[in-house]
Amino acid sequence: MTRDPFGTLRKALWIGGAPWTGKSTVARLLAERHGLTAYHHDDRARPGDPLPDDLPAGDQLAAMMAEFGHRFHRALDDLRALTSPRPVVAEGRGLRPELVAPLVDSPGRMVVLVPTELFRQHQLRHRPDAPAIPQQRTRLTRDRMLAAQAVRTARDLGIRVIEIDGKLGPDGVTDVVAEHFHAYLDFEVSER
C-alpha cells in the first residue's frame, strides 16, 4: 500500500472519467453539500508538452496514458500532504480506474463519468471550449478511446460507471453520485 500518513488516500472518494461530464462541478457540489474538501486533479496536474494535433488518435491515447501515470503520482504526493480535517473528493480525467483501484478499500469509493455519444455531440456544438474544427476529429476520437478504456477498466474492477446524457443537470448528477457514495459520506463526515 502507498504511504498515507494522514489517511487522506484511504478515505478519499474519487471521480474519474471523460471530459465535459461535470466532474469538477459534481466534486464542488459534493464538497459544499457534505463538508468535504474538493481536490481538482486536472487543475493541479502539471501538463507536459502539448500533443501535436496531427498525431494519430491511437498515438495520442498512448502518450496521454503515460502522462496520466506520471501526473497521478504527483497527485498522490499532493493528497498525502493534505491535512484537511474533512474527507476529500478527488476528481479529474487523469484519475483512471486502474490507478485508483489499488489505493482504495472498496471499488465503491470511485465513480467514472462518461458522456453518451449524443451528449458528446451536444457538448461539441455548444461548449465554447470545444476543439476547433481542424483538431476536432483526432481529439474526439482520442477522447472516445479514453472514455471507452475507462469504462472497460472500471467495469472489470467493479467500479460504477455513470453515463451522462444531459437529462440531469449538475445538481441531479451530484445527487446520483452522492447516493453512490452515501455510506462513505455518512460514516466519514460523522467521524469529523
Side-chain angles (χ1 to χ4, degrees):
M1 181 70 173
T2 303
R3 187 180 60 77
D4 187 14
F6 302 110
T8 307
L9 301 179
R10 181 177 48 82
K11 294 180 182 177
L13 302 173
W14 304 82
I15 302 171
W20 303 347
T21 54
K23 296 177 301 296
S24 296
T25 301
V26 168
R28 180 182 52 77
L29 290 171
L30 275 175
E32 290 171 4
R33 289 181 187 179
H34 299 280
L36 308 175
T37 297
Y39 175 84
H40 301 287
H41 172 59
D42 295 337
D43 290 348
R44 287 178 166 67
R46 299 157 195 86
D49 295 329
L51 296 172
D53 290 324
D54 60 348
L55 190 65
D59 293 341
Q60 284 193 19
L61 176 69
M64 285 187 78
M65 292 303 291
E67 183 66 20
F68 285 156
H70 297 299
R71 290 179 186 183
F72 186 70
H73 291 290
R74 290 191 295 255
L76 294 181
D77 290 341
D78 287 348
L79 287 166
R80 278 189 212 100
L82 190 60
T83 59
S84 173
R86 304 179 301 172
V88 173
V89 57
E91 69 77 24
R93 71 178 179 157
L95 301 179
R96 308 292 294 178
E98 65 275 13
L99 299 172
V100 172
L103 301 175
V104 297
D105 59 0
S106 166
R109 286 192 173 275
M110 183 176 198
V111 295
V112 172
L113 305 182
V114 294
T116 62
E117 186 57 33
L118 284 175
F119 187 66
R120 184 189 322 268
Q121 292 302 321
H122 170 81
Q123 292 289 73
L124 183 62
R125 288 189 304 273
H126 295 91
R127 283 191 61 118
D129 58 340
I133 298 299
Q135 298 92 14
Q136 182 172 308
R137 180 163 293 173
T138 300
R139 288 185 186 177
L140 288 176
T141 300
R142 179 201 64 207
D143 287 347
R144 281 185 188 103
M145 293 167 71
L146 281 168
Q149 186 176 42
V151 167
R152 280 191 306 275
T153 304
R155 289 187 174 145
D156 287 347
L157 294 168
I159 293 169
R160 183 170 178 193
V161 174
I162 299 172
E163 288 191 341
I164 305 301
D165 61 9
K167 292 178 183 170
L168 295 175
D171 286 316
V173 174
T174 303
D175 291 343
V176 172
V177 174
E179 179 58 34
H180 172 78
F181 288 147
H182 181 72
Y184 304 108
L185 293 171
D186 287 346
F187 175 72
E188 287 166 359
V189 172
S190 68
E191 280 188 339
R192 287 189 277 156

